[in-house]
């Protein structure tokens, strides 16, 4: 999470897709169960998109599918909806 925060503070784009995938940093954190990175990305200072897009599954869906209950709870507490 310290690396994630450092990258964001240095101007990394939280809304940039990762490589050629349809995943965004917040989606990757949710899919991998990275609670600490997810908390950084949900900080109002950076605020990753937790809602539906036309091309990619939501972080909430990815966390639930992978069984990352803590991530699901954090996302729901931040207003995510399953679309």
């Amino acid at each position: 999470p310290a690396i994630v925060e450092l990258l964001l503070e240095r101007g990394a784009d939280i809304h940039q897709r990762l490589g050629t995938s349809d995943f965004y940093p917040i989606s990757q954190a949710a899919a991998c169960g990275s609670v600490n990175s997810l908390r950084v990305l949900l900080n109002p200072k950076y605020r990753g998109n937790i809602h539906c897009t036309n091309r990619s599954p939501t972080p909430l869906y990815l966390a639930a599918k992978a069984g990352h209950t803590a991530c699901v709870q954090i996302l729901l507490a931040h207003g995510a909806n399953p679309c």
Side-chain angles (χ1 to χ4, degrees):
I3 296 295
V4 173
E5 195 161 15
L6 177 65
L7 289 170
L8 293 171
E9 287 175 0
R10 300 271 173 114
D13 184 359
I14 197 170
H15 301 290
Q16 178 68 39
R17 280 185 260 166
L18 302 174
T20 59
S21 76
D22 287 334
F23 274 29
Y24 296 87
I26 197 166
S27 301
Q28 188 67 35
C32 293
S34 181
V35 172
N36 293 330
S37 292
L38 193 59
R39 286 189 175 127
V40 170
L41 293 166
L42 287 168
N43 181 322
K45 183 176 176 181
Y46 309 116
R47 194 60 177 181
N49 185 6
I50 58 176
H51 302 290
C52 294
T53 65
N54 291 333
R55 297 177 45 132
S56 60
T58 65
L60 180 61
Y61 171 82
L62 295 168
K65 181 179 177 189
H68 300 304
T69 308
C71 289
V72 169
Q73 292 171 338
I74 290 167
L75 289 163
L76 288 172
H78 282 85
N81 67 53
C83 297

